[in-house]
Amino acid sequence: MIVVRILGGLGNQLFQYAYAKSLASKGYQVKIDISSFKNYKLHGGYQLHEFKIDLPEASKWESFIAKYGFRIPMKEKSLLFQKRFLKPKKNAYIKGYFQTEKYFKDIRGILLKQIIVKKQLSSSTIKYLEKITIKKNTCAIHIRRGDYILDEKANKVHGVCGLNYYKEAIKLMREKCGEISFFVFSDDISWVKKNLKIKNAVYIDHNVIPHEDMHLMSLCNHNITANSSFSWWAAWLNQHKNKIVIAPKNWFVSKENEVACKDWILL
């Protein structure tokens, strides 16, 4: 049996789950280890249970055995694609972020059926969903601030997409799509309202429910992402055939990456 550790915010959890599910699709017996969330309280904690996922969770005993050396440990050495993770040992405990669709692109159809919100949406989410549905041509914009601003370590790794990136992305989206309505999502929406004035835009101003906001973003025709796994998944889950996705060229401050998909536009 293989055990894959799940940790981080919702976007990272989805990358790890997608990787684990890809192993299961190859015939591996796979369980996910969520025990680290006992002491991890950032970004809303564990959230995969909000979706229709089906990989079993490792028991406390199985997690203990996996963590403390009774399995072969495998850990990502970098955030670049590593082929060795496609065919791991059958008795491994795996830790990583797996932030590229190269690990799971071949099971996209399966993931689209599983990464679906299970419960009734909140009333505020339904209100915004109706606005998105009414508009003929829509684009979700995600602006990540939060820990990217306040946490020194996160800032050094990720940096923050500047206002110029968003202004250029909006300009390009209008050039390609003509008349378009923007729906703006952020973990600091009051700052965005003051600093990024967008014509024909709806600012999503409610208590953030991560899985519901990701769902709303995925329903728009197009996406402008931050350098964030959260908006990456919103764009990847977007099933519009002619979607345009604009993403930042520099996902990390100083590291190479393969996060953005090949058909996305990088600015």
Side-chain angles (χ1 to χ4, degrees), residues 93-225:
Y93 181 66
I94 301 177
K95 296 167 66 174
Y97 289 98
F98 309 107
Q99 291 185 351
T100 168
E101 68 169 355
K102 293 178 182 179
Y103 288 112
F104 50 80
K105 187 177 181 180
D106 57 336
I107 60 161
R108 177 175 169 80
I110 294 173
L111 293 171
L112 288 175
K113 291 178 181 178
Q114 293 200 342
I115 307 174
I116 295 174
V117 177
K118 290 194 300 188
K119 299 177 183 178
Q120 175 69 33
L121 299 174
S122 66
S123 58
S124 62
T125 295
I126 291 173
K127 178 184 71 174
Y128 288 120
L129 185 151
E130 290 171 348
K131 290 183 178 182
I132 290 172
T133 304
I134 290 171
K135 301 290 184 180
K136 291 183 178 180
N137 197 18
T138 58
C139 176
I141 301 175
H142 180 233
I143 299 169
R144 171 76 174 269
R145 286 177 58 77
D147 60 327
Y148 280 16
I149 298 290
L150 301 174
D151 187 295
E152 184 178 350
K153 183 178 178 181
N155 184 268
K156 285 182 178 179
V157 173
H158 296 280
V160 180
C161 293
L163 291 176
N164 283 340
Y165 161 71
Y166 288 104
K167 290 175 181 178
E168 288 298 314
I170 291 166
K171 179 183 177 183
L172 180 58
M173 193 66 75
R174 284 190 169 126
E175 289 173 357
K176 288 183 171 292
C177 300
E179 188 66 27
I180 189 168
S181 299
F182 293 96
F183 288 81
V184 187
F185 298 76
S186 178
D187 53 2
D188 192 354
I189 200 68
S190 59
W191 182 92
V192 176
K193 284 181 178 180
K194 292 176 183 177
N195 292 278
L196 188 62
K197 307 290 186 182
I198 305 171
K199 181 182 177 183
N200 200 20
V202 174
Y203 293 82
I204 309 302
D205 194 358
H206 65 169
N207 290 329
V208 174
I209 305 173
H211 64 283
E212 293 193 5
D213 276 10
M214 182 180 287
H215 175 62
L216 287 176
M217 287 194 284
S218 74
L219 295 178
C220 291
N221 297 94
H222 313 289
N223 299 82
I224 295 173
T225 82

Side-chain angles (χ1 to χ4, degrees), residues 80-98:
L80 298 177
F81 175 70
Q82 296 167 56
K83 194 173 181 179
R84 67 191 180 103
F85 283 100
L86 296 179
K87 294 182 179 180
K89 299 287 186 180
K90 292 184 178 180
N91 189 35
Y93 181 66
I94 301 177
K95 296 167 66 174
Y97 289 98
F98 309 107

